[in-house]
Amino acid sequence: MAIEGGKDDAAGGRIRLGMVGGGEGAFIGGVHRIAARLDGEFDLVAGALSSDPDRARASGAALGLAPERSYASFAEMAKREARLKNGIEAVAIVTPNHMHYPAAREFLKRGIHVICDKPLTSTLADARKLAGLAEKSGALFVLTHNYTGYPMVRQAREMIASGMLGALRVVQAEYPQDWLTERLEASGQKQADWRTDPARSGAGGCVGDIGTHAYNLACFVTGLAAEELAADLTTFVDGRKLDDNVHVMLRFSGGARGMLWASQVAPGNENGLRLRVYGEKGGLEWEQEQPNHLWYTPFGEEKRLITRGGAGAGAAAARVSRIPAGHPEGYLEGFANIYQEAARAIRAARDGGKPSADVVYPTISDGLAGMGFIDACVRSSTRNGQWVRL
């Protein structure tokens, strides 16, 4: 079959984006589409939006995709888009976890950049294979740990890197929710159904779904990596196949110690992601439900509130802020910041170069670390909380 033409990589054009998953009834696909549109960097031009061909076509039509670019499978989409003159340059993968590896593999093989939801895959073995493939392909791989896009998270990272806290001693991360307090998956609710199914989610339930967010946030802000952990994974809801609560003790490189708690059965908590970091010179506190605030306490002095865009906020926060101080920015904007950073990297790659050093986004290495964290937690918990190396 004849090739249908090379890619048109005009530097000024919007990035041509495809999507795998995210059709009717999906939550995260809509979030990705909003994030990709917010700064006008991407055009969604193709999709394999469901594993059900009829639903895929209906979802494509609802989003205004051309019928010939609304595909019944991601394999068909990868093959044809790679041959089109104006085929996609990047693909967003927003399927359940077990499909991340096979979908990403098809696009990476063809040099198409991948923007993938977390966790990276459903197994550590698949994560390792995908990391090897990504390295060979030369395509960019962006993992949407979206909380790393929040301005005050970037502020905290900048403060720690500059030495304002001194040597780090204690890192505490928590992420409680309550939406799975009852066996919601038995009702057929789509999000609960796949997240509690080991065949689609992987070996970790709560630890993989939100525990990885807390762990990634702790590592991103502090610059540390855990060397050992001891975990207790619990399934409180009768009939549930995966954990819904996790406690983890962490030993970080450099001597810092940490604790991580994630739960989806904690009534009264909606999306309580929180990080506290303490060093020899002071401490920082940030919580996702008040994302524009960062508390900083130098040792022996009064507690200080730094606000997004306010006095004390630095360049790292400013470069990912869109609106003036006092106007709330949150989940969608933080997600969009990951897409904005991805756009900067893709545009640099169009010219055969690399983005500036201040472009920061989670990569496949972060995804591999997250899968290592899940694997270590499961191994430790099955050994009654024994300390294991990551």
Side-chain angles (χ1 to χ4, degrees):
M1 182 180 293
I3 300 295
E4 296 181 46
K7 294 268 180 71
D8 177 14
D9 291 334
R14 290 185 179 180
I15 297 162
R16 298 181 299 278
L17 180 68
M19 180 168 283
V20 176
E24 294 176 338
F27 161 68
I28 203 65
V31 171
H32 276 254
R33 290 190 289 271
I34 293 170
R37 288 199 304 267
L38 194 59
D39 295 300
E41 293 281 7
F42 295 87
D43 273 335
L44 182 67
V45 297
L49 301 172
S50 174
S51 57
D52 179 278
D54 291 336
R55 184 175 295 173
R57 282 190 291 271
S59 299
L63 293 174
L65 297 182
E68 68 273 14
R69 299 185 77 176
S70 183
Y71 299 93
S73 74
F74 62 78
E76 178 191 0
M77 175 177 162
K79 290 175 184 177
R80 183 165 187 269
E81 289 294 320
R83 301 172 71 90
L84 291 176
K85 178 180 179 180
N86 291 307
I88 61 171
E89 299 170 81
V91 63
I93 298 175
V94 295
T95 64
N97 305 345
H98 71 299
M99 296 306 296
H100 290 181
Y101 169 66
R105 177 185 60 199
E106 292 301 313
F107 293 93
L108 287 174
K109 286 194 305 185
R110 293 165 173 85
I112 295 170
H113 306 302
V114 171
I115 302 170
C116 185
D117 208 51
K118 47 59 57 188
L120 181 58
T121 55
S122 60
T123 70
L124 182 56
D126 280 351
R128 287 170 173 159
K129 288 187 287 187
L130 195 59
L133 182 58
E135 184 177 0
K136 291 178 184 177
S137 76
L140 298 172
F141 196 104
V142 180
L143 192 72
T144 54
H145 270 298
N146 58 294
Y147 299 109
T148 65
Y150 281 65
M152 299 317 287
V153 166
R154 300 292 179 98
Q155 173 73 23
R157 174 184 166 100
E158 183 180 54
M159 292 171 71
I160 289 172
S162 71
M164 291 182 69
L165 269 59
L168 300 184
R169 292 173 172 172
V170 178
V171 181
Q172 293 186 287
E174 63 181 56
Y175 199 161
Q177 300 174 336
D178 67 1
W179 72 293
L180 292 178
T181 295
E182 297 180 329
R183 195 161 173 253
L184 184 60
E185 59 268 33
S187 72
Q189 203 265 13
K190 185 174 180 178
Q191 302 304 318
D193 185 47
W194 78 258
R195 281 178 166 83
T196 57
D197 178 8
R200 289 177 285 173
S201 185
C206 174
V207 69
D209 191 23
I210 60 175
T212 50
H213 269 310
Y215 178 68
N216 175 263
L217 183 67
C219 295
F220 179 82
V221 169
T222 64
L224 303 176
E227 295 179 336
E228 295 180 291
L229 63 75
D232 181 23
L233 275 59
T234 307
T235 306
F236 282 108
V237 175
D238 289 340
R240 181 163 290 157
K241 298 176 182 179
L242 291 172
D243 62 278
D244 48 31
N245 189 88
V246 56
H247 292 89
V248 188
M249 300 284 287
L250 297 157
R251 293 172 179 165
F252 289 97
S253 56
R257 296 293 186 263
M259 292 190 296
L260 185 151
W261 169 50
S263 181
Q264 292 173 315
V265 293
N269 291 280
E270 294 176 347
N271 205 63
L273 177 60
R274 184 181 184 189
L275 179 67
R276 289 171 285 178
V277 183
Y278 305 103
E280 60 186 359
K281 296 180 181 179
L284 290 172
E285 301 178 39
W286 179 83
E287 56 181 306
Q288 191 274 153
E289 292 180 345
Q290 298 293 329
N292 294 280
H293 293 173
L294 176 67
W295 288 100
Y296 168 50
T297 310
F299 176 64
E301 300 181 26
E302 71 279 2
K303 194 173 186 178
R304 302 169 186 180
L305 176 63
I306 304 173
T307 61
R308 185 197 59 78
R319 71 176 293 277
V320 291
S321 293
R322 292 176 177 78
I323 53 180
H327 297 77
E329 287 189 357
Y331 179 75
L332 294 174
E333 292 88 349
F335 222 112
N337 283 335
I338 303 300
Y339 267 86
Q340 178 71 281
E341 300 284 58
R344 292 179 175 121
I346 292 169
R347 291 188 182 283
R350 279 177 171 181
D351 298 326
K354 294 183 178 180
S356 60
D358 58 357
V359 173
V360 179
Y361 56 85
T363 68
I364 199 161
S365 295
D366 297 289
L368 194 56
M371 292 306 301
F373 169 74
I374 296 170
D375 175 76
C377 286
V378 172
R379 284 189 286 120
S380 173
S381 189
T382 57
R383 300 172 189 174
N384 198 31
Q386 177 182 321
W387 284 94
V388 299
R389 292 193 66 81
L390 274 76

